[in-house]
Amino acid sequence: MADRTPLMAANWKLHKTVAEAEAYLAKFLPGVPEDGVEVVVCPPFTALAACVEGCAATQVRIAAQNMHEAESGAFTGEVSAPMLSEIGVEAVVLGHSERRTYFGELDEALALKVPAALRAGLLPILCVGETGDEREHEQTEKVLRRQIELGLIEVDDDQLAEVVIAYEPIWAIGTGRTAAPEQAQEAVAFIRELLAERYPDEAGDVRILYGGSVKPDNATELMAQADIDGALVGGASLDPEDFAAIVAAAT
Ligand code: 13P
């Protein structure tokens, strides 16, 4: 089996000022394991530079929560991949369901964002996942197929291992309704099968995370699933002790 280093990411969403981010890191960083797990923190744009600086002497990498696909242009309010990498950001969350639902993010834009991130040397964390309604109507596989195929349409074989996929069923995000470990494993294994259809030699190297109400008390069981290589954590990542406990579940 491929040797995939687990990746545990804290998605702070629209939380934490610079001062709050610094106070968090002061508590969180001393307990971060030195190896065996990759830790990523995704602060809002305004706290990125402070977090890059705060984590400079550590293994923790900083990710943005979104970016535009163009390098520059008349796109008011947007930030590009080279702008992020210039300040030391190393990864970017793309296609989070909140961006898809509230801000009209489309698979077609993600098809451009993923390669734009790779060109700038950023690790793209591409989020996919079905709504509760889609699951009830047995559309999960169809939705995942569309999101994966379009999101990766411009990604070549030799770049695939530089992409991280996050399976986040929308019905489990911020609801306290975690997917059962077997349910999460089933969807993540299906995503790996989809990858293998197009990238038979590389699919086993791709890290696929689970996200959706991951907490200290359910993380161990989720991380024990064969195809789940880490977590993208929202609410519980806002508390440094809780996130540290979740990170520990991957080691
Ligand atoms: P919660 O952990 O709050 O459910 O959020 C998950 C998520 O959206 C991470 O990106």
Side-chain angles (χ1 to χ4, degrees):
M1 200 177 98
D3 192 11
R4 300 185 295 264
T5 306
L7 191 157
M8 305 300 270
N11 178 8
W12 288 353
K13 310 191 179 182
L14 181 52
H15 294 282
K16 297 198 192 292
T17 61
V18 171
E20 288 165 348
E22 286 171 345
Y24 178 106
L25 293 179
K27 286 195 185 148
F28 176 67
L29 291 177
V32 175
E34 289 198 355
D35 44 38
V37 57
E38 250 178 76
V39 180
V40 173
V41 173
C42 320
F45 285 119
T46 48
L48 285 172
C51 288
V52 166
E53 199 187 319
C55 295
T58 76
Q59 307 290 340
V60 176
R61 298 203 281 174
I62 303 303
Q65 299 173 15
N66 180 36
M67 55 164 243
H68 195 273
E69 59 270 29
E71 287 189 12
S72 60
F75 301 108
T76 301
E78 294 290 325
V79 167
S80 73
M83 292 171 182
L84 294 170
S85 60
E86 183 195 28
I87 64 162
V89 169
E90 293 181 82
V92 60
V93 176
L94 295 175
H96 190 280
S97 65
E98 286 150 16
R99 302 259 3 132
R100 294 177 190 259
T101 305
Y102 305 134
F103 304 101
E105 179 99 277
L106 297 174
D107 290 312
E108 288 72 11
L110 294 163
L112 301 172
K113 288 188 183 198
V114 174
L118 289 168
R119 273 196 300 279
L122 299 173
L123 178 79
I125 302 174
L126 175 66
C127 303
V128 297
E130 78 288 358
T131 63
D133 200 44
E134 287 162 345
R135 178 164 279 267
E136 264 172 42
H137 290 90
E138 294 175 10
Q139 298 292 301
T140 301
E141 294 193 351
K142 186 172 155 213
V143 170
L144 294 177
R145 178 177 288 278
R146 189 195 70 229
Q147 292 174 335
I148 292 284
E149 283 181 355
L150 279 172
L152 299 179
I153 199 160
E154 299 289 343
V155 175
D156 295 333
D157 305 17
D158 59 347
Q159 296 175 303
L160 186 73
E162 301 304 315
V163 177
V164 171
I165 308 289
Y167 169 62
E168 298 208 310
I170 297 172
W171 48 271
I173 295 180
T175 57
R177 244 186 95 197
T178 321
E182 307 74 44
Q183 228 174 5
Q185 161 62 24
E186 189 185 34
V188 168
F190 174 71
I191 292 171
R192 203 174 296 287
E193 274 168 41
L194 286 176
L195 296 175
E197 285 177 15
R198 176 154 160 224
Y199 309 93
D201 296 334
E202 293 82 11
D205 296 330
V206 178
R207 286 174 300 173
I208 309 179
L209 318 183
Y210 167 77
S213 299
V214 177
K215 310 283 177 210
D217 63 4
N218 60 25
T220 306
E221 222 186 332
L222 286 161
M223 293 310 112
Q225 303 301 312
D227 282 284
I228 300 182
D229 305 313
L232 183 55
V233 189
S237 78
L238 296 174
D239 179 303
E241 285 175 12
D242 282 353
F243 187 49
I246 292 171
V247 169
T251 57

